Amino acid sequence: MNRAFWYFLSLQLFKERSKHLTIIVISILLIFILSSVLFISSSIRFSLEQTLKPQPDFVISRLQGGVNRSTPIEWSDELFDIYGVTKVTPRVYGRYFFRPKGKSFLIMGIDAFEEESHKSLEKLIDSIDIKAFLTGNNMIVGEGVKEYLQKNFYNNSYKFLTPKGKFIDIKIAKIVPKETRLLSNDMIIMPIDLAREVLGYTQDEVTDIAFNVPNPDEWSNIEDKLLSLHYDLGVVDKNEVKKSYETLYNYKSGFFLIIFLILIMTFSLILYQRYNMVYSTEKREIGLLRALGWSINDVLRLKFMESFILIVTSYIIGIFIAYIFVYIYNAPLLKNIFLGGQNLQNSVSFIPIIDIATLSSIFLLYAVPFIIAVIVPVWRVSVTNPKEAML
Amino acid sequence: MNEILFSNQVIIYLLSESLLFVLLFIAFVVSIKIVIKWDFDSFSQKQFRLEKEAYLVSTITIFLFIIKFILLIYFVFTIDSLSILIAGAMCGAGVVTANEYGTYLLLFKLIIIATLILWFYLNSYDTHTKNYLHMKKKSLLFIAIFISIIFELFLDFQYFTNIDTHQPVSCCSTLFGQLEGANPLPFGLTIPLLLTLFYLLYFLTILTLKTNYRVLYIVSNLLFLYLAYYAVVYFFGTYIYQLPTHKCPFCMLQSDYFYIGYIIWGSLFLGTFIGISDALSSIWTTRKYIKNSRLVISMLTLFVVLSSIYVIIYYFRNGVWL
């Protein structure tokens, strides 16, 4: 392949540009849809991993008939006795249903004596006086909660109705910053005793107990020890949570891909038909080239380079458009498939993640059917006899 | 429902493999025709058509080789990314052994790549002869490749549909590491003996390449490949991970070790495959010399230097051996 070959190839492409244009446009569209979906799913997976990283390794709670019940707080003292367990945190949280519209908030209690939870909270919101926050009737709310409350004319505070029928007035002290929206959108953080009251727990009950085990080799061992403590104890570890998220998003994008397969099959059938047609009109030209001394291999190379350039061009343009669509314009419409807007409206901005796995997946899914569709038409035109073509 | 089948990479991988098979089938039919009817001295219409169709076979095979090569890397990558979904797996080792098909599948893939390289050498010798002397051999080889690809495709589907995500698998350190004192090395070798043999065989391989003793070369390179696998898993690998108990051929493919495994295994397998195909095809076509001995030598040397350099760097940094 010398310079003359490339020059000829570019001339050829330019001359026949109207023939290739439709194919390039369809290809770009296909790649754009495909890569937008894959970009969104990999970006969400990345944000989930980031939010899961600081989460506790284990969570235990009391199970009754397979359903979570309020957990006695004494269990956390028993945990301290197990060697290798750190950062034991009893947690109080639950859903508070906002009656009129059937929406719900996630309420999280923060313990005044737990250094750990303070630190993470302080990291989350730097400009807040923790002590003042924990002593009064205050709460920190997520972005979605704030919007929802404002819409219902609760600008500064909200009156919670406890299961006992009492009203508690709680002030909004702060709004959680945007970066953690995926998880904190419908979240309300308040002092633990207040949370107990709102959710209807007694003083010596918590929702569950979280703790860390720094040595991952000990995880299964610790799990066995926990299960022997009480008969009604249930354990969930972080890997299980991670796995179920992974499965969920795999399921969503996998389902899309399976439907996309039909599309790509149709596309390659169209390609096959079209190239058969296009090349049959080029027979004379190829015959001329062969008569001028080109070998079959030369013609094959020319035609393959031609389709390869088409593939690469539309691949790059398609990915580029998808990048802009997803990461700069935040994928309007398409993101609802992934983020389900059932409860409070969530508006996440996607963190740009482009990894080799996604890029190579897109390339394989598009390039392999493309080349397979054109290989036979290309061969058919390349072996044209010069004499036959000229007649 | 099987969660594995919804993984994006698995879907794309299986689709590509199946589509390739359709194309291969066309080439297979043509190859059979060539084996039965090829006669270069004939001037019949049929022979001319066959000569044209032979171009289709070679085009398809070249494409097949490129995609198979990409798919092998993609497969390893996929397996690695699946390790998060399967209980107990921490790298590809656990996922491959999740059912009985995985190991055979990986072996089949390597063998197919090797035979495809052999086909390439035959093809290049063939196109250099004016009268396509080796067309029948080439087609026979292609038919062999096709049959092994049928098996591979069967294994592909069997493997991915039979992974149970709830049943825990063993992680690499239980598969390769803790054998309770049993010696995992072949022929009852010890590590120092293995290393001596490793370097000796490396020099023998290069020597036989340089002096063109082809049969001896093939034997020594095959032995080298076999021992190099054990040397990497049980000795060089521990220096890559900087942990004497970590013995695994898969973990070095992960980002934690800067994907060095792809280069290490890639240079070893490619070097060996290219060399052996070169030697075999030159014997088969009764030629005198090996074509690309320099390429083979540089690949194998890259492999040996890369694996040794981890040991040396570790020693210079810490002043002790593992």
Side-chain angles (χ1 to χ4, degrees), chain B residues 15-193:
Chain B
L15 172 80
S16 310
E17 288 268 328
S18 326
L19 276 182
L20 264 185
F21 187 75
V22 175
L23 202 59
L24 266 180
F25 191 74
I26 302 172
F28 169 67
V29 174
V30 176
S31 294
I32 286 194
K33 270 200 267 178
I34 288 175
V35 169
I36 298 171
K37 292 182 187 154
W38 183 266
D39 176 18
F40 191 73
D41 300 329
S42 151
F43 286 96
S44 68
Q45 200 72 331
K46 267 183 193 161
Q47 173 61 18
F48 278 120
R49 203 183 306 135
L50 266 185
E51 277 167 36
K52 281 181 180 176
E53 283 174 351
Y55 275 99
L56 182 63
V57 177
S58 57
T59 316
I60 288 177
T61 320
I62 291 168
F63 173 64
L64 172 78
F65 173 73
I66 297 169
I67 299 293
K68 275 281 171 196
F69 188 68
I70 298 172
L71 277 178
L72 176 66
I73 298 170
Y74 194 72
F75 175 74
V76 176
F77 202 85
T78 305
I79 289 236
D80 220 37
S81 71
L82 284 181
S83 57
I84 187 175
L85 287 177
I86 295 171
M90 291 168 101
C91 67
V95 184
V96 166
T97 51
N99 57 36
E100 63 268 42
Y101 304 107
T103 326
Y104 294 113
L105 180 58
L106 204 58
L107 266 177
F108 251 94
K109 280 182 180 304
L110 288 175
I111 291 171
I112 286 169
I113 292 280
T115 39
L116 275 171
I117 295 175
L118 179 62
W119 185 92
F120 258 90
Y121 273 100
L122 266 184
N123 187 41
S124 81
Y125 288 136
D126 186 44
T127 43
H128 278 108
T129 58
K130 289 257 156 35
N131 47 357
Y132 299 114
L133 262 180
H134 314 298
M135 185 54 93
K136 278 197 176 174
K137 291 175 198 163
K138 214 168 78 175
S139 305
L140 277 175
L141 190 62
F142 181 83
I143 291 171
I145 292 173
F146 179 77
I147 291 169
S148 42
I149 284 181
I150 294 180
F151 278 112
E152 190 211 357
L153 194 70
F154 170 75
L155 282 174
D156 268 335
F157 279 93
Q158 283 294 313
Y159 174 64
F160 280 117
T161 46
N162 283 321
I163 293 177
D164 189 350
T165 45
H166 299 291
Q167 191 187 351
V169 298
S170 317
C171 92
C172 51
S173 38
T174 43
L175 283 172
F176 297 95
Q178 300 152 3
L179 298 162
E180 284 149 5
N183 188 2
L185 299 177
F187 317 128
L189 287 173
T190 56
I191 290 282
L193 214 58

Side-chain angles (χ1 to χ4, degrees), chain A residues 243 250 253 304 357 361 379 383, chain B residues 6 8 52 59 74 77 85:
Chain A
K243 192 177 141 185
N250 259 344
S253 53
F304 272 114
S361 299
W379 164 77
V383 294
Chain B
F6 268 110
N8 300 347
K52 281 181 180 176
T59 316
Y74 194 72
F77 202 85
L85 287 177

